[in-house]
Amino acid sequence: MALRGLKVLELSGLAPAPFCGMLLADYGASVIRVDRKGDQQNTRLDRLARGKRSISIDLKTPAAIDIFRRLSSKADVLIEPFRPGVMEKLGLGPHVLLNENKRLIYARLSGYGQDGPLSMKAGHDINYLSISGLLSMFGRANSKPHPPINLAADFAGGGLLAAYAIMSAIFERQATNLGQVLDLSLAEGSSYVSSWMWTSRDLPIVWFGEQRGENLLDGGTHFYDTYETSDGLYMAVGALEPQFYTQLLLGLGLDPDDEKHSQMNINEMKIKFEQLFKTKTQKEWTEIFNEYDACCTPVLDWNSACEHKHNQERNNFSTDQNKNRIVPMPAPKFSVSKLPSINRPLPLPGEHTMEILREIGYSNDNIKQLIKENIVQNVERSKSKL
């Protein structure tokens, strides 16, 4: 697998940090999730831990700090999701860990970055988007801004960008033999992944004005929008180019040569499209547009997406290790590297504590004493009720 041999420490968190760790684990990295002893909340909500191992330790104790420093001294990457200053208070800041392991890539994922007026403030995806400028662009015309769930900041501008930054730092390390600190702000990451929106503001073909929902790609046109069908489902239309718009009109039974059907006749055609799409079911429209290259596709829900013929032939979806949840397969597909398995179990908090401690030099007697003193926790899967 592509990242075999890469050793990653991931401090337990939610959304961006686990996603970053999953991306690395999916392609072969050895990822150890460091769980806080007794904290079940994060681990219960973390559904992005497949293929990782877990050690559960109490970082408020000196012995646990020593364990973490030993782990860090042998790691290539540390993924840290806390507010600024937390790791420093624990004695695990970059100046300590990089002094002990100069090759360590210390990735710090936070809402607003390691400094600045907002750095110590709490926040969530919607807040990071709001100050990035991106949230103002989402939503229908004459309506309030609408958050696109937590994809843009937590996952695109957070976990995905962090994985990219980590691999970039590892590539540089091949030349310098030195690690470094990565200061990833989810707010800044959101702005960065929306770079095209910023750099295209002077293109009148894209932006018709300053209002959201009135532009080329945000539902402001009839040829780039969604339409309800007679069965209450939806079709997605993205016929931007004239040749595809012509195909769209033909599929809808409209004359492409009629000036009333012009691509520039936005308001009237939007009403026309709304009326036409409601005359047939989603299945009927899908069958019609299978015969046209019109950029018109069904809006599929969680279940129907995995049943779509194209997705099935490409093996784009599978089920998790319990066969009870549909999950996407890793992307992209590599031509040489082994494809990752998504059927690896989610680790229980502390499931691999003893195994990991032995790997970094602790004896069985040492481990038993650490368990007895409640410094670490070991959980055996066979005895768990989870």
Side-chain angles (χ1 to χ4, degrees), residues 18-278:
F19 183 55
C20 177
M22 186 194 80
L23 293 174
L24 301 176
D26 274 349
Y27 285 95
S30 172
V31 180
I32 295 174
R33 187 181 69 191
V34 181
D35 290 311
R36 286 168 282 184
K37 184 177 174 295
D39 179 12
Q40 299 295 319
Q41 179 69 11
N42 279 355
T43 51
R44 187 166 57 248
L45 296 176
D46 181 8
R47 300 299 177 85
L48 302 173
R50 64 188 182 218
K52 302 175 186 177
R53 294 189 295 165
S54 167
I55 182 172
S56 181
I57 61 179
D58 182 3
L59 283 174
K60 295 179 181 179
T61 64
I65 295 297
D66 182 62
I67 292 170
F68 190 89
R69 289 173 68 169
R70 287 205 205 184
L71 287 168
S72 173
S73 69
K74 298 178 180 297
D76 293 294
V77 178
L78 169 62
I79 303 172
E80 182 254 300
F82 304 141
R83 288 197 211 181
V86 170
M87 292 294 278
E88 284 79 358
K89 288 179 182 178
L90 292 171
L92 299 172
H95 63 288
V96 173
L97 299 187
L98 267 77
N99 185 57
E100 297 173 346
N101 178 2
K102 297 185 183 302
R103 289 172 52 82
L104 181 67
I105 309 299
Y106 195 125
R108 315 195 77 171
L109 282 67
S110 62
Y112 301 108
Q114 295 300 306
D115 50 40
L118 294 177
S119 61
M120 301 304 294
K121 298 282 286 185
H124 289 291
D125 196 285
I126 191 172
N127 308 114
Y128 311 139
L129 290 188
S130 73
I131 74 156
S132 74
L134 192 55
L135 183 58
S136 69
M137 304 178 192
F138 294 138
R140 290 289 184 177
N142 303 313
S143 184
K144 63 182 181 181
H146 195 280
I149 50 179
N150 65 326
L151 283 174
D154 280 350
F155 296 106
L160 183 61
L161 204 58
Y164 166 76
I166 286 167
M167 298 313 299
S168 297
I170 289 173
F171 185 79
E172 182 178 2
R173 191 179 68 181
Q174 294 180 97
T176 65
N177 203 36
L178 295 174
Q180 58 183 301
V181 179
L182 307 178
D183 176 5
L184 179 66
S185 153
L186 302 189
E188 293 163 11
S190 302
S191 297
Y192 186 44
V193 297
S194 66
S195 292
W196 181 82
M197 292 183 171
W198 296 87
T199 58
S200 66
R201 299 297 291 178
D202 61 339
L203 297 177
I205 192 174
V206 177
W207 302 100
F208 305 152
E210 292 296 322
Q211 296 300 316
R212 62 180 164 272
E214 296 181 355
N215 304 288
L216 182 70
L217 301 175
D218 61 4
T221 63
H222 61 294
F223 50 85
Y224 201 92
D225 207 346
T226 57
Y227 293 94
E228 187 176 1
T229 56
S230 64
D231 52 350
L233 301 177
Y234 293 87
M235 296 295 289
V237 172
L240 291 170
E241 294 81 1
Q243 67 270 30
F244 302 135
Y245 183 71
T246 296
Q247 292 282 296
L248 177 67
L249 293 178
L250 291 172
L252 290 170
L254 298 175
D255 182 2
D257 296 324
D258 190 332
E259 290 186 3
K260 292 185 299 183
H261 303 154
S262 167
Q263 197 166 5
M264 295 300 101
N265 190 10
I266 294 173
N267 294 330
E268 290 184 18
M269 290 306 295
K270 187 177 279 279
I271 296 172
K272 186 73 171 177
F273 281 12
E274 289 173 349
Q275 295 171 343
L276 284 171
F277 274 106
K278 283 187 177 181

Side-chain angles (χ1 to χ4, degrees), residues 289-301:
F289 281 106
N290 280 343
E291 305 302 318
Y292 293 90
D293 200 12
C295 303
C296 184
T297 50
V299 177
L300 304 177
D301 62 19

Side-chain angles (χ1 to χ4, degrees), residues 308-348:
H308 192 277
K309 180 179 179 181
H310 177 81
N311 289 334
Q312 288 187 338
E313 289 194 8
R314 294 272 298 171
N315 296 316
N316 287 348
F317 292 92
S318 185
T319 53
D320 64 9
Q321 72 279 1
N322 296 320
K323 306 296 182 183
N324 61 1
R325 194 168 20 246
I326 298 167
V327 291
M329 289 291 289
K333 294 175 171 62
F334 285 40
S335 65
V336 175
S337 301
K338 180 181 177 182
L339 285 175
S341 168
I342 62 170
N343 293 319
R344 295 163 294 169
L346 303 180
L348 301 176

